[in-house]
Amino acid sequence: MASHDAHYGGNLVDGARMLQLFGDVATELLIMNDGDEGLFCAYDNVEFLAPVYAGDYIEAEGEITHVGNTSRKMSFVARKVIAPRTDISASAADVLAEPIVVCRATGTCVVPKDCQRKK
């Protein structure tokens, strides 16, 4: 996360930034599955589990859990994999021995029939 992602005191990053990452993951999954970006309709559940700060490195991944006629249900997870070590220097960072799950979500996207190029 860059310094411009910090929205609150203490360099805390707005949770909406994780949802933006999940939207990017959803787009990639829909292109791979259908050959089209589709549209994100709704999140069914979002859990913010740990704080994210400017300087943290976040990996986001997702999977399609159900394919309907036009709907695609998905699940997402974001993990902090690197944390800054500003106590050492302005550019020091550590790879975390165990990634920290910072956010989980489930949601639904839609790809209209006439946009589905992959069957």
Side-chain angles (χ1 to χ4, degrees), residues 29 31 38-39 50 61 67 72 74 78 85 95 103 112 115 118:
L29 289 170
I31 290 171
L39 299 168
E61 63 182 42
V67 176
R72 311 292 183 251
M74 299 182 185
R85 288 293 309 273
V95 175
C103 188
C115 295
K118 298 182 179 183

Side-chain angles (χ1 to χ4, degrees), residues 20-52:
Q20 184 180 15
L21 294 175
F22 292 161
D24 291 344
V25 171
T27 298
E28 180 179 353
L29 289 170
L30 291 174
I31 290 171
M32 290 169 35
N33 192 73
D34 294 288
D36 190 88
E37 292 181 351
L39 299 168
F40 211 120
C41 292
Y43 283 102
D44 305 314
N45 187 49
V46 177
E47 298 175 278
F48 297 105
L49 303 166
V52 175

Side-chain angles (χ1 to χ4, degrees), residues 73-111:
K73 292 190 181 286
M74 299 182 185
S75 64
F76 305 95
V77 64
R79 294 179 185 89
K80 183 187 309 191
V81 295
I82 296 175
R85 288 293 309 273
T86 54
D87 57 314
I88 296 173
S89 76
S91 58
D94 284 337
V95 175
L96 301 177
E98 288 292 323
I100 299 168
V101 175
V102 298
C103 188
R104 282 193 196 109
T106 56
T108 304
C109 296
V110 170
V111 180

